[in-house]
Amino acid sequence: MGDQKESLRKITHTLAMKNEEISNFICTLKQSLDNLEANSNRVQEDLESECSSLHAVLDEMKENMLTRIKQERASRTYELQSQLSACSKALESSEELLEMANQTLCSSETDGFTQVTDSHAAAVTMAPAFRLSLKAKASDNMSHLMVDFSQEREMLQGLKFLPVPATPEIQVSECQVCDNTVTVVWSLPEPDSKIDHYILEHRRTNHEGPPRIREDYPWMVVEGIREMEHTLTGLRFDTRYLTFRVRACNKAVAGEFSEPVTLETHAFTFKLDAASAHQNLKVEDLSVEWDSSGGKIQDIRKDKNRTNSPMHSPARSALMSPKRAPTARPGRDRFTAESYTVLADTVIDAGQQYWEVRFDKESKAFAVGVALRSLGRFDQLGKSSASWCIHLNNWLQQSLTAKHNNKARTLDCPIPNSIGVYINYDEGILSFYNAKTKQLMHTFKTKFQQPVIPAFMVWNGSFSVVTGLQVPSVVAGRCPSFCQPNCCAASCWFRVTLCPVCSLSLCLPAHFQKDEIGYANKLSVPI
C-alpha cells in the first residue's frame, strides 16, 4: 500500500507540474494574442502614416512642378506678347509711311517736291520695321518640362515590407558561466551583411524551463552589440538561473527573439540571521553595524522562504550527499555577553562555496569564518573547537590572526579592505583570501564532522557581506599551499615531502616536521 501511495504521489506531482506548464503556456498564448493585436494596429498605423507621407511628398512635388510650368508659360507669354506688340506697331507705322510715300510719288506738283521727298525718305529710313528682330524671343516648345516617372512608378510598384533579420540561435554548448561572469554565444542560420547590431536580454529566475509570464524579475537589456557573443561581468547570482534571449537588428527593424536559453548559476547565497545577532549589532539585510547604545531589541524580519534548516544548503541541488537526509532544526538563541556575533541563515554541508566581506578597518575587533550550528551563545569565534576564523584586533595593538580552538597564529600579510572566504566542505579546506588580489592569507585543513555556517563578529565597527558569488577559478584551481613541482637534485639538502592538500611533491627543510599545532608556516595549513 505504501508503494502504491508513493507511486500515486509521484504521478500526481508530475501531473501538477504539467498543469503548471500548461497554465503558463496559456498565459503566454493570451499575452501573444494581446501583443498580436497591439502590434498589428501599430504596423497598420505605420503603413498608413508612411503612405500619407508619400502622398504628401507627391502632392508637394506636383505643386512645385505645376508652379514651374506656369511660371515658364507666363514668362514666355510675356516675351512673345511684347514682341508681337512691337511688330504690330512697326507694321502699322510702316504701312502709314508706305501710303505717304506712294502719295508723294503719285503727286504731279513740282513745288517743294524735293524737300518733301527728302523728308519722307528720312522717315522711311528711320522706320521701326528696320530695327525689329524677326526671330522669336521665346520658344513655344515646352518639352523640357515633360516628366517620365516610369522608374519611380516601378519603384513604387516594388514597395514591400522591410526585410526582417533572421532569428539567432544561442549556442548553449559554447556559453560559459564562471567567476560571476556569463559569456553568451549565438549564431545565424546564414550570414547577413545587413545586420547592424544585436540586442541581448537577460533575466534572473528560480524556475528552470521556458520563461513565465509572471516572473519576479524584469528583463535587463543590453543594446548595440556588434559581435555574435557578449560577456556580462560583475554579476551577483542570487537566483538559481539566468535566462537569455537575443535578436538581430538592421538599420530599420529588429528581428524575432531567439528561443530563450536558461543557464544555471551555481553560487552561494545567504542572508544574515538577525535572530542570532548580539543585541549590540544592528543587522540590515547583509550589513551589520555596531550599536554603541546596546540593549535594544531589533525587529526580526524572517524570510518566509528560508528557515534554519540544512534544506537550504546551496549544495543540495547538485552536490547533496545521498547518505545525508535533510532534517529540520529549531532556531537558536541570540549571542550575548562579549560574543558580538551573528550567523548566516544557510548551512554548508557539501561542495565548494565562496563569499566576501567588506569591513571597516578601523573596527576595534572583527572576525569572519565558519562555525558549527552548535556554537554556544557565549562563545567567541575561534575560541572553541566549534569555529574557525580570521580575527582583526585594533585594540591597543593591531594584529591579524587565524584562530581555532583557542589557538591563534599571527598572519604576516597586509590587512585587506575585504576578505574572501572559500570552503571546500568535502575536502575539509577553509581558506581566506585578499578579495581584490586573491592572495592567500591563511588556510585551515580539518575534517568537518557537522554542517557549518558562515559566522561574523564585529566590535565598535561595521561590515557588509557579498553573496551570490561563484568560487573564483583562480581560487578553485589553486593549492592553498602554493605548491611547486619537486625541484630536488640528488644533492639537495631539503627533504622531499608531499603537500597534504594536493599531494604534490615539494621541498622543505628537514627540520619542518608535523606537530600538534600544524605544518610549518610555509604551508599555512594548521590542523
Side-chain angles (χ1 to χ4, degrees), residues 75-77 79-80 83 135-141:
S75 175
R76 292 191 182 193
T77 300
E79 292 289 342
L80 293 174
Q83 194 172 17
K135 181 179 180 181
K137 291 183 178 181
S139 171
D140 60 353
N141 186 1

Side-chain angles (χ1 to χ4, degrees), residues 188-325:
L188 291 171
E190 56 184 29
D192 186 351
S193 60
K194 294 183 178 180
I195 289 182
D196 179 67
H197 65 277
Y198 299 89
I199 297 176
L200 177 68
E201 294 189 356
H202 59 96
R203 178 164 66 182
R204 295 177 292 165
T205 180
N206 285 308
H207 304 285
E208 188 176 12
R212 299 164 174 248
I213 295 297
R214 301 180 184 88
E215 287 283 1
D216 296 330
Y217 303 96
W219 287 104
M220 307 302 291
V221 182
V222 182
E223 297 181 322
I225 303 172
R226 303 295 178 180
E227 304 295 333
M228 288 195 289
E229 68 174 59
H230 185 71
T231 300
L232 298 170
T233 60
L235 300 175
R236 283 187 59 191
F237 296 153
D238 52 2
T239 57
R240 293 180 60 193
Y241 305 98
L242 278 175
T243 301
F244 295 88
R245 63 184 186 183
V246 64
R247 62 177 173 179
C249 304
N250 55 29
K251 292 290 186 180
V253 67
E256 293 285 343
F257 275 111
S258 65
E259 285 296 321
V261 168
T262 300
L263 301 179
E264 190 168 6
T265 53
H266 294 288
F268 184 37
T269 303
F270 62 85
K271 295 182 179 179
L272 296 177
D273 183 8
S276 69
H278 191 284
Q279 289 186 0
N280 284 93
L281 300 184
K282 181 181 179 181
V283 179
E284 292 184 1
D285 195 18
L286 290 173
S287 298
V288 175
E289 184 177 1
W290 167 266
D291 184 0
S292 58
S293 60
K296 294 183 178 180
I297 303 297
Q298 306 167 53
D299 293 332
I300 302 172
R301 295 189 291 267
K302 294 184 177 180
D303 191 330
K304 294 182 180 180
N305 297 325
R306 194 182 290 271
T307 64
N308 300 318
S309 166
M311 279 292 289
H312 297 280
S313 165
R316 285 294 176 190
S317 59
L319 301 172
M320 186 178 68
S321 170
K323 298 180 181 180
R324 188 184 300 115

Side-chain angles (χ1 to χ4, degrees), residues 108-129:
S108 57
E109 296 179 2
T110 57
D111 294 338
F113 178 80
T114 302
Q115 184 179 357
V116 172
T117 301
D118 292 341
S119 174
H120 287 177
V124 171
T125 302
M126 297 300 295

Side-chain angles (χ1 to χ4, degrees), residues 64-76:
N64 292 337
M65 297 176 81
L66 285 174
T67 301
R68 171 75 184 282
I69 293 173
K70 292 177 181 179
Q71 290 174 345
E72 187 78 10
R73 182 177 64 184
S75 175
R76 292 191 182 193

